[in-house]
Amino acid sequence: ATMGGNNRNASALGSVSMRHGRHSWTIRIGPTPHWHALGIAAKPLSSNTTHCHESFSWSSHSQKYGSAGHDGHSLSKWQANDTIRFELDCDQHTLRMTVDRLQESHLISNLPDKEFYVYVNMIQQGNVATIVK
């Protein structure tokens, strides 16, 4: 996903649903990591432009979003070209995120029993997030 035009705070959902079993993917953020939120969300997203509050995700500026609400400043900040690994266990209702450069891992547990999709939110023009595997 690339943030283009004059948009601010745009969200995208993946096209493949995840409801059962284990799933993993890795996202690399681009050279301008102004602000990203990465994780999972269910469809449909509301018309609200700040979808991060509807997701289970982490942001590049140390915030966590999810069932416990917003938890600010519990993570290290990401840098340009960081890779972030995600492991979703739908049967155990957990999502783990690991920033490879930092070897820092965080867990969201007690996810609801829903069909989830990869979620990306970017707030500044020119931001890039790429699923690399």
Side-chain angles (χ1 to χ4, degrees):
T2 301
M3 183 83 159
N6 294 320
N7 297 329
R8 287 187 59 80
N9 206 356
S11 295
L13 289 177
S15 58
V16 176
S17 67
M18 301 171 284
R19 183 163 193 138
H20 302 287
R22 297 177 74 171
H23 307 271
S24 63
W25 63 97
T26 302
I27 295 178
R28 181 177 41 246
I29 58 174
T32 56
H34 174 69
W35 194 91
H36 292 73
L38 305 174
I40 58 174
K43 288 185 179 179
L45 291 174
S46 72
S47 59
N48 181 352
T49 58
T50 44
H51 298 118
C52 52
H53 296 286
E54 299 174 44
S55 70
F56 295 90
S57 62
W58 292 270
S59 85
S60 54
H61 281 211
S62 309
Q63 298 148 319
K64 179 175 77 172
Y65 300 93
S67 58
H70 176 262
D71 173 16
H73 309 292
S74 61
L75 311 167
S76 297
K77 288 188 177 183
W78 307 340
Q79 296 178 1
N81 301 308
D82 269 347
T83 55
I84 297 102
R85 287 182 291 126
F86 293 88
E87 299 168 1
L88 172 64
D89 188 328
C90 296
D91 301 322
Q92 296 297 314
H93 306 284
T94 61
L95 177 66
R96 178 173 302 280
M97 178 212 58
T98 304
V99 179
D100 286 339
R101 175 182 55 84
L102 302 170
Q103 287 303 297
E104 179 178 89
S105 184
H106 298 276
L107 181 73
I108 294 176
S109 55
N110 300 316
L111 293 171
D113 187 14
K114 289 187 175 183
E115 192 168 54
F116 287 110
Y117 298 82
V118 171
Y119 167 81
V120 175
N121 181 278
M122 295 180 279
I123 199 165
Q124 185 172 351
Q125 182 178 338
N127 280 3
V128 176
T130 305
I131 296 177
V132 293
K133 66 175 178 174

